[in-house]
Amino acid sequence: MTADPCSDLPKDFPEPRAVLKTSTQSHAQSFDLGAALGACIRQQNRQEPCVIGLGGDLGAGKTVFVQGLARGLGVDERAAVTSPTYTLINEYSGDRRLFHVDLYRIDGSGDLEDLGFDDIFEGSNVVAVEWAERLDFADLRPDIFIRIRVCGNNRRDFVLNFYGPDAPNLVGALQKTKDFQSLRG
């Protein structure tokens, strides 16, 4: 089976429980969208990890989105949230601990065992995984998969696919945020 080049989902990902689509016109708006989602996740009383898969080409804005996500989760503004391309996993403390993972240099799930990848999926951690499409759905088990497409110099199209049990509540909360509403016009 080959992947549909127009699909917003990697080839083995099932249909989500809910989908939100929006566009940003700047890095600041992409950051704000991440912050809005982070704030919604932060407000949940969930005791399980929240896994967010991110897909998109190089330069699509995955790290900018995670920087916003970190602020929404309460990570200190002085903490430099950077791409973990070479470290593979970065950890940030906030109201909910954030693990930022970059799979660009990973060939498969076997490489992740040596990094302790499975160990970060505990408690109420939030795990944001760039290049998530490099893993099978069953290996990642995302609550949210976000596809980011570059559509011009500054415009980014976001498709947020919600899988987790909290999908309806999270979608509703995100839609009510001023940052999300400002993207809707």
Side-chain angles (χ1 to χ4, degrees):
M1 175 169 137
T2 59
D4 176 358
C6 296
S7 175
D8 294 317
L9 297 172
K11 67 178 177 172
D12 74 327
F13 278 44
E15 288 300 313
R17 296 179 70 184
V19 178
L20 284 179
K21 295 182 179 187
T22 193
S23 297
T24 62
Q25 303 299 325
S26 66
H27 288 296
Q29 284 186 336
S30 295
F31 179 97
D32 290 347
L33 179 60
L37 180 61
C40 291
I41 292 169
R42 179 179 174 185
Q43 292 171 1
Q44 292 180 317
N45 280 335
R46 188 172 167 176
Q47 296 305 308
E48 303 90 38
C50 179
V51 181
I52 303 167
L54 296 151
D57 292 334
L58 284 169
K62 296 179 292 292
T63 299
V64 170
F65 182 85
V66 174
Q67 289 168 341
L69 180 72
R71 295 306 173 253
L73 290 169
V75 172
D76 191 314
E77 291 183 16
R78 295 171 294 188
V81 177
T82 58
S83 175
T85 300
Y86 296 101
T87 57
L88 305 180
I89 300 175
N90 289 341
E91 179 181 352
Y92 303 97
S93 296
D95 292 340
R96 289 186 66 176
R97 193 164 42 160
L98 171 64
F99 287 91
H100 184 191
V101 181
D102 189 319
L103 300 181
Y104 185 71
R105 300 184 182 282
I106 298 294
D107 287 327
S109 58
D111 290 348
L112 297 173
E113 290 176 20
D114 296 337
L115 296 173
F117 185 69
D118 289 337
D119 297 336
I120 64 177
F121 294 94
E122 59 185 30
S124 61
N125 295 339
V126 176
V127 182
V129 182
E130 294 189 28
W131 301 98
E133 61 270 31
R134 293 180 178 252
L135 290 180
D136 292 332
F137 183 86
D139 291 332
L140 186 61
R141 304 170 312 278
D143 294 283
I144 307 166
F145 177 77
I146 302 169
R147 169 75 65 203
I148 307 171
R149 285 207 166 81
V150 178
C151 300
N153 288 339
N154 294 315
R155 180 178 161 180
R156 301 295 186 263
D157 286 349
F158 284 78
V159 180
L160 294 85
N161 300 279
F162 293 84
Y163 291 97
D166 302 332
N169 295 333
L170 196 52
V171 169
L174 182 59
Q175 287 176 317
K176 291 176 184 173
T177 66
K178 70 176 178 62
D179 289 321
F180 188 82
Q181 289 179 358
S182 72
L183 298 174
R184 306 301 286 177

